[in-house]
Amino acid sequence: MCELLKQQGITDDAVLKAMGAVRRHWFLDSALDALAYEDRALKIGADQTISRPSTVAMQSQLLCVESGMKVLEIGTGSGYQAAVLSKMGAKVFSIERQKELFDHTRPLLAELGCRVRCFLGDGYQGLTEVDQAPFDRIIVTCGAREMPEALMAQLKVGGIMVIPIGGDDTQEMLRFTKTGEGRGEWEKEEFGRYSFVPMLDGRQMH
Ligand code: SAH
């Protein structure tokens, strides 16, 4: 899989190393074992999908994570992206809005020994359950309609947020670097079109 990722422009050694070590099939139903290392999104239940490995790698690379950084992820899903970031040495906090996925993935990540704290909540609000903001990095793994202001407020000045923004079908992968505490004080870079499941409001308790 790492060879394929290199061909797709992934050059960050820490990302390649983490993705070589964290096995993707651990996060999937065993019926999907044969497909786990293909570059495609796969079903994880609750109408959601695990992102393609190339997308996980690209988002991880764009995030410029360093060991020890506090990272907030929106959209825990299967836990795969969170596990990769934790393998890279990040302290990961991850929010999922669907209870079914939260109940499945939190114990799985604990069992695998990943340093990830999972929360059931609405990522549009950021992390409100515990007082851990501001974060060095924020990664959103579902497609947002607009920049969630509460999330930007929870990012450190100098911090980076990677977030796909657009419509329900496709979104632009954006990287924001926060330059000050005021509204609109950030720089934005664009990294092409992707297709994520939508980022939805509110938590879902079933
Ligand atoms: N990072 C995940 C990707 C899962 S797909 C992985 O590696 O498997 C995106 C996830 O975002 C879905 O599980 C979906 O339920 C969740 N999601 C959508 N809107 C959300 C919101 N507002 N807050 C938190 N999670 C959300």
Side-chain angles (χ1 to χ4, degrees), residues 31 75 80 104 107 143 183 190:
Y80 179 58
H104 171 81
R183 221 184 139 89
E190 301 186 3

PDB file of all heavy atoms in Angstrom, residues 31 75 80 104 107 143 183 190:
ATOM      1  N   ALA A  31     -15.582  -9.487   6.491  1.00  0.00           N
ATOM      2  CA  ALA A  31     -16.079  -9.806   5.139  1.00  0.00           C
ATOM      3  C   ALA A  31     -15.393  -8.933   4.078  1.00  0.00           C
ATOM      4  O   ALA A  31     -15.397  -9.274   2.890  1.00  0.00           O
ATOM      5  CB  ALA A  31     -17.586  -9.595   5.079  1.00  0.00           C
ATOM      6  N   GLY A  75     -15.337  13.293  12.989  1.00  0.00           N
ATOM      7  CA  GLY A  75     -15.765  12.144  12.192  1.00  0.00           C
ATOM      8  C   GLY A  75     -14.903  10.926  12.499  1.00  0.00           C
ATOM      9  O   GLY A  75     -14.110  10.495  11.664  1.00  0.00           O
ATOM     10  N   TYR A  80      -9.870   4.562  11.818  1.00  0.00           N
ATOM     11  CA  TYR A  80      -8.608   4.352  11.084  1.00  0.00           C
ATOM     12  C   TYR A  80      -7.766   5.637  11.011  1.00  0.00           C
ATOM     13  O   TYR A  80      -6.575   5.626  11.347  1.00  0.00           O
ATOM     14  CB  TYR A  80      -8.935   3.832   9.682  1.00  0.00           C
ATOM     15  CG  TYR A  80      -7.727   3.603   8.800  1.00  0.00           C
ATOM     16  CD1 TYR A  80      -6.710   2.736   9.198  1.00  0.00           C
ATOM     17  CD2 TYR A  80      -7.604   4.239   7.565  1.00  0.00           C
ATOM     18  CE1 TYR A  80      -5.607   2.513   8.382  1.00  0.00           C
ATOM     19  CE2 TYR A  80      -6.509   4.022   6.751  1.00  0.00           C
ATOM     20  CZ  TYR A  80      -5.507   3.162   7.163  1.00  0.00           C
ATOM     21  OH  TYR A  80      -4.420   2.949   6.357  1.00  0.00           O
ATOM     22  N   HIS A 104     -19.073   1.433  18.776  1.00  0.00           N
ATOM     23  CA  HIS A 104     -18.254   0.383  18.174  1.00  0.00           C
ATOM     24  C   HIS A 104     -16.758   0.743  18.223  1.00  0.00           C
ATOM     25  O   HIS A 104     -15.901  -0.093  18.538  1.00  0.00           O
ATOM     26  CB  HIS A 104     -18.681   0.177  16.717  1.00  0.00           C
ATOM     27  CG  HIS A 104     -17.769  -0.721  15.942  1.00  0.00           C
ATOM     28  ND1 HIS A 104     -17.848  -2.095  16.018  1.00  0.00           N
ATOM     29  CD2 HIS A 104     -16.735  -0.449  15.112  1.00  0.00           C
ATOM     30  CE1 HIS A 104     -16.907  -2.630  15.261  1.00  0.00           C
ATOM     31  NE2 HIS A 104     -16.225  -1.648  14.694  1.00  0.00           N
ATOM     32  N   PRO A 107     -14.210   1.361  21.978  1.00  0.00           N
ATOM     33  CA  PRO A 107     -13.510   0.197  22.556  1.00  0.00           C
ATOM     34  C   PRO A 107     -12.475  -0.412  21.612  1.00  0.00           C
ATOM     35  O   PRO A 107     -11.437  -0.915  22.069  1.00  0.00           O
ATOM     36  CB  PRO A 107     -14.636  -0.803  22.853  1.00  0.00           C
ATOM     37  CG  PRO A 107     -15.864  -0.285  22.208  1.00  0.00           C
ATOM     38  CD  PRO A 107     -15.676   1.163  21.921  1.00  0.00           C
ATOM     39  N   GLY A 143     -17.614  16.021   4.742  1.00  0.00           N
ATOM     40  CA  GLY A 143     -17.679  17.213   3.892  1.00  0.00           C
ATOM     41  C   GLY A 143     -18.540  18.307   4.502  1.00  0.00           C
ATOM     42  O   GLY A 143     -19.751  18.144   4.645  1.00  0.00           O
ATOM     43  N   ARG A 183     -11.915  37.208  13.511  1.00  0.00           N
ATOM     44  CA  ARG A 183     -12.677  36.514  12.466  1.00  0.00           C
ATOM     45  C   ARG A 183     -11.989  36.710  11.113  1.00  0.00           C
ATOM     46  O   ARG A 183     -11.582  37.814  10.775  1.00  0.00           O
ATOM     47  CB  ARG A 183     -14.069  37.144  12.419  1.00  0.00           C
ATOM     48  CG  ARG A 183     -15.177  36.156  12.256  1.00  0.00           C
ATOM     49  CD  ARG A 183     -16.495  36.911  12.128  1.00  0.00           C
ATOM     50  NE  ARG A 183     -17.313  36.271  11.103  1.00  0.00           N
ATOM     51  CZ  ARG A 183     -18.150  35.288  11.337  1.00  0.00           C
ATOM     52  NH1 ARG A 183     -18.266  34.808  12.556  1.00  0.00           N
ATOM     53  NH2 ARG A 183     -18.852  34.758  10.364  1.00  0.00           N
ATOM     54  N   GLU A 190      -5.709  25.459  -1.426  1.00  0.00           N
ATOM     55  CA  GLU A 190      -6.640  24.481  -2.013  1.00  0.00           C
ATOM     56  C   GLU A 190      -5.882  23.271  -2.573  1.00  0.00           C
ATOM     57  O   GLU A 190      -4.845  23.439  -3.199  1.00  0.00           O
ATOM     58  CB  GLU A 190      -7.427  25.141  -3.143  1.00  0.00           C
ATOM     59  CG  GLU A 190      -8.215  26.344  -2.665  1.00  0.00           C
ATOM     60  CD  GLU A 190      -9.113  26.941  -3.734  1.00  0.00           C
ATOM     61  OE1 GLU A 190      -9.171  26.391  -4.853  1.00  0.00           O
ATOM     62  OE2 GLU A 190      -9.761  27.956  -3.419  1.00  0.00           O
TER      63      GLU A 190
END
